[in-house]
Amino acid sequence: MYIYLDDSGNIDSTDGKLYVWAGFSIQSGYKKLGESLDEVFSKFPNSKDYPEKKALDATAEEMDEVFNCLMTFGSLRICYVVIDKTMVTSNQKTFSQAKSKSKEQSENYFLSKVIKRLAYPYVDSTSNTAIVTIDGSPQRSDESALRLHEYLSLRINLPEWNTNYSWNNFKISYDSSPNHRLLQAADFIANMILEYYKSVHYGSKYDHRQVYRYMNHYSILKPKIIHKLYRFPNTTVF
């Protein structure tokens, strides 16, 4: 199984009200998916000040092209978590007494909720290895991947209710290189989810055009969304 993840928003920033981790898994065929996405992304101009196309300035048509490409892969599954940052305390956002870890532990906590759902085995799977690729650079080099590997192994394998499957290996890698098409797609998903919830649930003014746009994007992805988790006032289903 192959899993690709990215976040949108910043957990320890005062900018914006929401924080998102989103990703997708595919059982196999990641190279073919990457090639298909390359055909799409190669047509887009790079974002200003970036060596690749970012979702932050993608047009509605560009987002639709990426999402429609993802929908052509049968085993693809999407999961996301969206958090109202006002419900996260300052000590939960960063670990001030461990600067080398900083906000990485908080990020791992939230992204693990997404990985946990995406890592549920496919029906006909014979492998118990999950290859997880995260957009970004680790704060602790190889130790970051090791710590996340240990955390995921405990979080997914140890619960008493989980008697049906276990994962003997999580292969964790971080990648900040430009034009990694699978991670670019994860960036598009995470950004769209953030903007969707901002527009539909947190907009100070109800902009019908924005709401309509992001509801259309969401409707494309919806058939592949297997889990959605959120932490909002009065509606927490974390």
Side-chain angles (χ1 to χ4, degrees):
M1 179 188 299
Y2 302 86
I3 298 174
Y4 301 90
L5 300 143
D6 196 10
D7 64 345
S8 193
N10 198 325
I11 188 62
D12 64 343
S13 170
T14 57
D15 295 334
K17 296 180 180 179
L18 302 177
Y19 178 59
V20 169
W21 268 104
F24 62 91
S25 65
I26 51 174
Q27 184 175 10
S28 60
Y30 73 94
K31 289 184 178 180
K32 184 177 179 182
L33 177 55
E35 292 169 356
S36 297
L37 287 167
D38 184 60
E39 292 181 11
V40 174
F41 277 110
S42 61
K43 298 183 295 183
F44 302 161
N46 288 348
S47 298
K48 184 180 179 181
D49 301 326
Y50 291 93
E52 64 177 359
K53 185 64 179 183
K54 305 289 286 186
L56 57 88
D57 65 351
T59 66
E61 292 75 18
E62 288 169 341
M63 279 200 162
D64 283 350
E65 281 198 65
V66 173
F67 297 156
N68 283 320
C69 179
L70 292 174
M71 295 304 99
T72 63
F73 280 73
S75 70
L76 189 137
R77 305 185 300 196
I78 295 171
C79 178
Y80 65 83
V81 57
V82 55
I83 303 105
D84 183 325
K85 292 194 291 186
T86 63
M87 298 186 68
V88 183
T89 64
S90 59
N91 64 299
Q92 292 171 335
K93 295 175 182 178
T94 58
F95 289 74
S96 58
Q97 301 305 313
K99 292 182 179 180
S100 64
K101 302 172 186 176
S102 187
K103 61 181 179 179
E104 191 173 88
Q105 290 188 5
S106 294
E107 292 174 337
N108 285 351
Y109 172 73
F110 292 119
L111 74 87
S112 71
K113 290 181 174 293
V114 177
I115 295 175
K116 176 181 175 181
R117 274 74 182 184
L118 292 176
Y120 195 88
Y122 288 92
V123 174
D124 56 348
S125 175
T126 57
S127 171
N128 54 3
T129 296
I131 300 174
V132 180
T133 306
I134 302 166
D135 194 359
S137 301
Q139 297 187 34
R140 293 175 284 169
S141 190
D142 292 342
E143 184 182 354
S144 291
L146 175 62
R147 296 304 183 193
L148 181 55
H149 173 278
E150 292 174 342
Y151 181 51
L152 290 173
S153 297
L154 291 171
R155 185 173 179 81
I156 294 175
N157 291 339
L158 202 60
E160 293 181 3
W161 49 261
N162 181 12
T163 59
N164 298 322
Y165 67 94
S166 65
W167 293 92
N168 68 356
N169 196 11
F170 285 95
K171 294 183 178 179
I172 310 294
S173 66
Y174 299 84
D175 196 324
S176 58
S177 61
N179 298 309
H180 186 305
R181 302 313 192 188
L182 296 157
L183 290 178
Q184 277 184 279
D187 168 58
F188 269 54
I189 295 173
N191 178 270
M192 190 282 291
I193 295 297
L194 179 70
E195 295 299 329
Y196 170 81
Y197 279 91
K198 281 170 56 179
S199 299
V200 176
H201 299 286
Y202 279 78
S204 57
K205 295 182 179 179
Y206 197 79
D207 187 328
H208 291 275
R209 289 174 298 179
Q210 283 291 88
V211 170
Y212 181 75
R213 171 184 171 172
Y214 288 105
M215 289 187 72
N216 281 343
H217 294 325
Y218 193 92
S219 68
I220 295 174
L221 296 181
K222 189 175 180 180
K224 298 290 188 181
I225 297 174
I226 59 167
H227 284 286
K228 50 186 177 181
L229 304 100
Y230 42 87
R231 188 176 185 184
F232 294 155
N234 302 320
T235 58
T236 299
V237 291
F238 220 35

